[in-house]
DNA sequence: CTCGCTGTTGCAAGAAGTTGCAACAAGAAT
DNA sequence: ATTCTTGTTGCAACTTCTTGCAACAGCGAG
């Protein structure tokens, strides 16, 4: 089950620039390996990629980078809030852009379909958690696992 | 940051039996390695343990089991709904008992404190997701990351 | 443009996690 | 109690991920 948002898409210079901006703003250096990783992330806006997949794409396209560099860099990008690690099922975690994503994700465990839900729709729950427990939800960009409409219906048929 | 519920606690025979029951009911064989793993899970009711931690405890106490067996067995137990893999931050996933846990977890990213929230309090959100998107939330036992009351307050002080 | 500081990289070694397979043992049948 | 079937285990080989470190290069200062 591959989960990508813009598989063979065009690069999106605006987004890529915005990412570079954030990296600089955080005081990180804009190196070649980082540019390569950002490029992959930019064309996969809305996608969820594993570190291995990112490494693979970079290798296909140009100068490969060392795996350890990829692992470390992705951690760094997460630390500055540019990307986010999402665990879909038991497979390795997947990286997902955070910038300009004011939504949450519903992920179907069966077919992998992801549905976007405006954060506003879930906000009331977060507010309630804060009121009752003083708990400040942080990862305002997370994935809720379950079964999508289509797969739910097929399941009912199977039971009949 | 270690997250356990009953660190050096007594074994809880009732819970352990309930687990054995579930394993048998699923048509799985009750082997020595599985008994060992269940024993660790039973004394750590409410705890979150990594596979490595489980392996470590078994090694300390008696006959060690092969790592591959542990990884495979834990996957099997998850498949029959006995345990659940929870990702707290970027560390390896942690196993958590599902049986008799009708609650969700608020996990503090800073101090690791976990707060239990009755599922009923979050149910309205799940219901809403179903009404609007036809989405059936499955993992009714998940972790919401954020900052607990205490840590939120310290942060405010730091800013001042 | 050149220099210098220091954050980053690639490499190598190791730890963690996965997979195929032959030997083994849980538990049903007799 | 004994036998038989087949799900499980431990081992070995492999892939993935992590960590320490010396060489390197981004980029600010001059
Ligand atoms: Mn998104
Ligand atoms: Mn619980
Ligand atoms: Zn689906
Ligand atoms: Zn806290």
């Amino acid at each position: 089950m591959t989960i990508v948002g813009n598989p063979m898409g065009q690069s999106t210079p605006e987004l890529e620039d915005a990412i570079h901006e954030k990296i600089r703003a955080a005081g990180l250096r804009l190196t070649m390996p980082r540019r390569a990783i950002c490029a992959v992330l930019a064309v996969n806006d809305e996608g969820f990629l594993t570190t291995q997949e990112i490494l693979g794409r970079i290798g296909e396209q140009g100068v490969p980078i060392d795996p350890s560099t990829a692992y470390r860099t992705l951690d760094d990008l997460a630390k500055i809030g540019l990307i986010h690690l999402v665990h879909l099922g038991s497979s390795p975690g997947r990286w997902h852009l955070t910038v300009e994503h004011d939504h949450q994700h519903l992920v179907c465990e069966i077919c992998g379909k992801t549905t976007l839900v405006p954060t506003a729709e879930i906000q009331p729950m977060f507010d309630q958690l804060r009121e009752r427990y003083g708990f400040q939800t942080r990862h305002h960009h997370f994935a809720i696992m379950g079964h999508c409409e289509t797969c739910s219906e097929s399941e009912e048929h199977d039971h009949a």
Side-chain angles (χ1 to χ4, degrees), chain A:
Chain A
M1 183 201 304
T2 308
I3 303 170
V4 289
N6 185 4
M8 288 287 120
Q10 306 299 312
S11 64
T12 49
E14 319 90 36
L15 180 56
E16 208 162 335
D17 287 348
I19 295 176
H20 290 180
E21 204 63 32
K22 271 224 166 192
I23 290 178
R24 282 228 162 82
L28 299 179
R29 292 181 186 172
L30 197 47
T31 64
M32 265 295 288
R34 282 176 183 166
R35 283 174 193 277
I37 289 175
C38 292
V40 172
L41 291 173
V43 297
N44 283 287
D45 184 13
E46 280 310 328
F48 297 81
L49 296 175
T50 64
T51 306
Q52 289 296 323
E53 288 170 348
I54 294 172
L55 275 168
R57 302 209 177 188
I58 293 175
E60 289 171 11
Q61 296 171 13
V63 187
I65 67 177
D66 192 83
S68 67
T69 301
Y71 288 110
R72 281 188 285 221
T73 297
L74 290 164
D75 280 345
D76 292 341
L77 297 187
K79 218 165 282 166
I80 66 176
L82 229 168
I83 59 178
H84 188 87
L85 185 60
V86 181
H87 287 277
L88 278 35
S90 52
S91 48
R94 291 172 174 278
W95 299 103
H96 183 80
L97 276 175
T98 310
V99 286
E100 296 168 18
H101 280 212
D102 192 17
H103 55 243
Q104 311 295 323
H105 299 264
L106 306 182
V107 181
C108 179
E109 291 181 318
I110 298 177
C111 69
K113 176 184 172 191
T114 72
T115 306
L116 305 184
V117 179
T119 300
E121 293 194 24
I122 302 192
Q123 193 61 45
M125 182 191 76
F126 292 156
D127 291 342
Q128 183 180 317
L129 293 180
R130 180 163 186 209
E131 283 171 28
R132 297 198 189 172
Y133 301 93
F135 188 86
Q136 285 275 20
T137 303
R138 286 275 295 173
H139 284 194
H140 269 218
H141 197 214
F142 70 146
I144 299 176
M145 305 302 293
H147 293 177
C148 74
E149 188 158 27
T150 312
C151 292
S152 293
E153 286 167 2
S154 337
E155 279 188 320
E156 288 173 20
H157 297 171
D158 294 348
H159 278 277

